[in-house]
Each structure stands twice: as structure tokens, then as C-alpha cells.
Amino acid sequence: MDLVYKSGFVVGMSGCGKTSFVKKKLLKATDQVAIYYPKREYQGQLVARQVRSYDKLKDFARALLAGRKTTQGFKIAYRPNEPSVADFDNYCRVVWAAGNGRHKKALKTINEEVAEYGSTGAGKATGYFGKLLRLSRAYGIHTINVFQRGQEVSKTIIDNCEYACIMMQKTPKSAKYLDELTGVPVNDIAELRKFDYILQQGRDYSKGKIKW
């Protein structure tokens, strides 16, 4: 399946290869990318670009807004010392401000740990994160939302994303939940192993495996 997408999500248990999928399948060297990562998944080189990482939001915002004045590819990350729901929403506010529907390039934002920082359960996503999910297309922003279990995130993510990458699930309950939300058969999901994935766009989906 050709990867023609705007915004999407990557879901799977810890260690199954979610971040590897993002790095290998969803990013190009020429992309302009903002990254929220509370852990250490995005350091060093990322698709032939050095990740510039900041632990203060104002420094991240300054670098991101400067990068958006150009058409060059960049990878600019915010790694907070004390991540929180409020801190993540402030990050989303900066990304929202950097969006511009008239810009020659889309701005991709990788949102890691959205189950912990990007929502308050399965209800409607609020704040600037909710804005990004619902309105980003008009402002040239593509969201890449990464989490472990579908039950733990807002259904706004599922409803507003144009593609889904489903990876290995820890429990049959998690597989069944994704079946109900996406229409991908639970048996196909249950067969997934480490680095396997199902990529869905619309109602169509295909299986693959991350390779090095």
C-alpha cells in the first residue's frame, strides 16, 4: 500500500516497534518535523537530519518558528524535564501557531505518549491537542500520534486520523477494541508479532514488517 496520508496514529504494546515504524515509514529527510518525546526515542540522526532537542518550551518554540520561515527540512524536538498534560498542550499550542495553510511544506508533529499526556480517557480531546486533531488539515499540519492501547486515548484520535498503523497488542481485549473501532479483523490483529504491522487507509489495509 502506498503511504498517502495526512494525520494518523501508531498503536502497539511497548517494544513492538512503534517508533521504528514512525522513523522508517512516515518521515523523509526533507520533512519539517516537530517532536514531543518525554523519553529518549529521538536522539542523534533521524532520516539524515540531526535532531535538535530542547528541554525548555520557549527555546523549542523559537527554533520551530524560525525553521518554518524556510522550506528546508528539519527535525526539532521538545523533551520536557517534567512532562504533564498541561505541558503537552502548551507544546501543541506552539505547533498550532507554526501551522500555515499557505506554507509550501506541511509541518509534521510526532506526539509520543499521547495516552498519558494527550487525553483524559476515551472522551473528546480538548485544548490545543484537540484543535490539532480536528482542524490540522486546513493549517498544513500532519499529526502522528503514538500510544500503546486504544482504550486509553481519546476517540477523537481514531475518528480524525486518515491512516492507522496497528502493531502487536498485549491482550485479546486490546485487539478486539481496535477491531471495533477500525474494522480490521481481530484475528489479523492477534497474529501480529514484534515489528509486524497492519497499515489501514480508509477501509483498505495491508500487512507488513519493518526491515533493516
Side-chain angles (χ1 to χ4, degrees):
M1 180 184 293
D2 292 332
L3 286 176
V4 180
Y5 53 82
K6 295 290 187 179
S7 292
F9 65 86
V10 183
V11 55
M13 64 180 291
S14 178
C16 71
K18 297 187 298 298
T19 299
S20 295
F21 182 88
V22 172
K23 292 178 178 180
K24 290 183 171 294
K25 298 293 185 178
L26 303 183
L27 303 178
K28 300 177 181 178
T30 55
D31 286 340
Q32 295 191 347
V33 183
I35 307 167
Y36 183 87
Y37 73 118
K39 298 181 181 178
R40 297 183 181 274
E41 300 96 335
Y42 299 90
Q43 298 187 113
Q45 291 280 326
L46 179 59
V47 286
R49 289 288 188 274
Q50 182 69 31
V51 177
R52 289 184 283 156
S53 185
Y54 300 88
D55 59 9
K56 292 183 173 58
L57 187 62
K58 64 179 182 180
D59 294 335
F60 163 79
R62 188 179 298 115
L64 180 62
L65 293 173
R68 288 292 282 169
K69 293 179 180 178
T70 75
T71 57
Q72 296 179 352
F74 60 72
K75 311 294 179 283
I76 300 175
Y78 174 49
R79 183 173 180 266
N81 292 320
E82 297 182 6
S84 66
V85 173
D87 183 72
F88 176 68
D89 203 59
N90 284 330
Y91 163 86
C92 291
R93 184 175 185 175
V94 172
V95 172
W96 177 261
N100 183 336
R102 297 180 299 275
H103 198 287
K104 291 183 178 180
K105 285 194 172 184
L107 174 61
K108 294 185 177 181
T109 171
I110 301 172
N111 306 321
E112 289 274 354
E113 306 291 340
V114 293
E116 188 167 356
Y117 304 113
S119 63
T120 55
K124 183 178 180 180
T126 59
Y128 280 90
F129 182 49
K131 270 190 171 185
L132 286 178
L133 291 173
R134 289 186 290 272
L135 303 172
S136 59
R137 183 186 303 180
Y139 291 87
I141 302 171
H142 301 176
T143 67
I144 301 171
N145 306 284
V146 186
F147 50 92
Q148 292 188 26
R149 299 174 68 241
Q151 302 96 308
E152 297 176 341
V153 301
S154 167
K155 288 183 179 177
T156 308
I157 295 176
I158 311 295
D159 293 341
N160 286 271
C161 286
E162 295 167 293
Y163 72 89
C165 173
I166 301 172
M167 303 191 75
M168 185 169 63
Q169 300 298 300
K170 189 172 184 179
T171 66
K173 184 177 180 180
S174 294
K176 184 177 180 181
Y177 185 81
L178 289 171
D179 174 346
E180 293 173 351
L181 288 181
T182 66
V184 176
V186 63
N187 290 339
D188 287 346
I189 298 174
E191 292 175 353
L192 294 172
R193 295 296 179 261
K194 189 174 182 179
F195 300 127
D196 292 341
Y197 64 84
I198 294 173
L199 180 63
Q200 182 188 43
Q201 293 180 270
R203 293 184 178 181
D204 298 326
Y205 67 91
S206 61
K207 298 179 180 180
K209 191 178 186 70
I210 299 171
K211 298 179 180 178
W212 280 264

